[in-house]
Amino acid sequence: MFSAIYEGILLGLFLAFSIGPAFFALINTGISFGFRSGAALAFGIFFSDLFFVLVTVSLIHYGMADLLTNPRHQAFLGVVGGVVLIIYGAFHFVGNQAKTDAGETVVEIKSPRIRVLLIKGFFLNMFNPFVWIFWIATTTAISSKYEFEIYRIVIFFSSALAMVIGTDLLKTFVAHKIKQMLNQKMLLNVRHVSGGLLMLFGLYLIYKVFFLHG
């Protein structure tokens, strides 16, 4: 049991330090809208990861993992995920800006609804095919190692997901604190950089589907 907890925590730490769309979205949301909004996005991502685990464990158990590894299905996820990331990045790149009377561009802080952020976090993660591939590989390895001893598998993934949500909330909290040290120009630059990176991730997913698998 302790080995399952230890290995789950290690997996969670690996995910915590992985740089990807979810990472930049969390930092951007924490800086732009505060801890509460960032936490909502983090829980959306968490529920998406939980959904992945439940689906992949079930499919592997019943011998249907090819439904997720099918190139056509992955291509569909890649295109949809790319579009989602581009739209989300564009919103952060150009949204919530206003001009002061002096003509200075400032960032308007109008936090989205918590429900909207939960849904954004869920689908931001859901349509990233790299996340699917990661969880399929992890679930296959762990299921084989523990020979489908359900209680050990549950402990492993519970430890991993607990570490993921814990570190994501920490990232959001740190981002919120950083916001207090940024002036309007710096805040605008952060939104431009993180929004631009999200759009680049989206373009890469689409490029991967049409050119690398073309």
Side-chain angles (χ1 to χ4, degrees):
M1 182 180 74
F2 290 108
S3 64
I5 295 174
Y6 172 73
E7 291 172 356
I9 290 174
L10 286 181
L11 178 69
L13 286 173
F14 169 77
L15 289 172
F17 291 101
S18 298
I19 304 298
F23 174 85
F24 290 108
L26 280 172
I27 299 300
N28 198 332
T29 303
I31 289 177
S32 299
F33 306 119
F35 175 75
R36 188 166 177 263
S37 295
L41 188 75
F43 274 105
I45 295 169
F46 168 79
F47 289 131
S48 181
D49 281 331
L50 179 60
F51 175 78
F52 286 147
V53 170
L54 294 175
V55 169
T56 52
V57 168
S58 299
L59 291 179
I60 290 172
H61 179 70
Y62 292 107
M64 297 186 294
D66 59 319
L67 289 175
L68 298 178
T69 56
N70 186 298
R72 289 186 178 181
H73 296 167
Q74 290 187 8
F76 171 76
L77 288 173
V79 172
V80 175
V83 172
V84 169
L85 287 174
I86 290 170
I87 293 173
Y88 191 78
F91 169 78
H92 281 280
F93 190 87
V94 302
N96 298 99
Q97 297 179 21
K99 293 284 188 180
T100 64
D101 293 336
E104 179 185 2
T105 301
V106 298
V107 179
E108 291 184 329
I109 305 300
K110 185 179 180 182
S111 179
R113 293 177 180 270
I114 296 300
R115 179 173 41 199
V116 172
L117 287 166
L118 281 168
I119 295 171
K120 279 184 177 180
F122 186 88
F123 286 106
L124 182 70
N125 208 42
M126 168 71 68
F127 290 112
N128 186 345
F130 298 116
V131 176
W132 280 105
I133 293 169
F134 172 82
W135 284 118
I136 291 170
T138 301
T139 304
T140 302
I142 293 302
S143 299
S144 175
K145 178 175 181 177
Y146 294 140
E147 298 178 347
F148 274 100
E149 294 181 69
I150 297 300
Y151 80 97
R152 287 192 176 183
I153 293 174
V154 169
I155 290 172
F156 172 84
F157 283 114
S158 297
S159 302
L161 292 176
M163 181 60 66
V164 169
I165 186 62
T167 53
D168 280 353
L169 290 174
L170 180 60
K171 292 172 195 172
T172 304
F173 178 76
V174 172
H176 173 60
K177 290 299 181 182
I178 290 175
K179 174 187 175 182
Q180 300 173 8
M181 299 182 287
L182 301 179
N183 58 35
Q184 283 293 328
K185 183 176 181 180
M186 294 168 67
L187 185 58
L188 194 62
N189 288 337
V190 169
R191 289 179 64 84
H192 284 167
V193 170
S194 55
L197 287 171
L198 286 172
M199 288 190 285
L200 285 175
F201 275 118
L203 290 171
Y204 175 72
L205 286 180
I206 296 173
Y207 168 79
K208 190 172 184 294
V209 168
F210 288 106
F211 294 96
L212 301 186
H213 288 292

